[in-house]
Amino acid sequence: MRKLSEAELIMLTEVLKMEAEGLATARATNMLIEDEDLKKSVEAGIMAAEARIKGIQQFINENQVIDSGEVQ
């Protein structure tokens, strides 16, 4: 795979941050929900967000997006 541009790296970082923040919000909100149907829907959304985050992480690892020298 070709090396990602600076803009692509920034965008990938922002998407990952957005997903993580959304997941944290959904988890916090889920504890407050009393309606069972809504709770099931939010739980499905949480699982979907976790899968998207894992997919992004897998993309980063498989394509060596981050050089091992960059992580300290």
Side-chain angles (χ1 to χ4, degrees):
M1 188 180 129
R2 68 175 176 77
K3 185 171 171 68
L4 296 180
S5 70
E6 187 77 22
E8 290 169 325
L9 287 173
I10 292 170
M11 201 60 169
L12 186 60
T13 301
E14 291 301 316
V15 168
L16 189 55
K17 267 202 280 189
M18 180 184 67
E19 288 290 349
E21 290 171 3
L23 178 59
T25 302
R27 284 180 174 158
T29 304
N30 190 36
M31 293 186 283
L32 304 172
I33 297 173
E34 295 178 8
D35 182 74
E36 286 304 313
D37 291 335
L38 182 57
K39 194 168 197 70
K40 286 180 186 177
S41 180
V42 170
E43 288 170 355
I46 288 171
M47 290 174 56
E50 289 171 342
R52 286 190 300 272
I53 290 170
K54 286 179 185 174
I56 294 168
Q57 290 172 331
Q58 183 178 356
F59 173 83
I60 290 169
N61 289 332
E62 287 179 358
N63 294 290
Q64 299 171 342
V65 172
I66 300 173
D67 292 333
S68 59
E70 291 180 30
V71 178
Q72 295 184 15

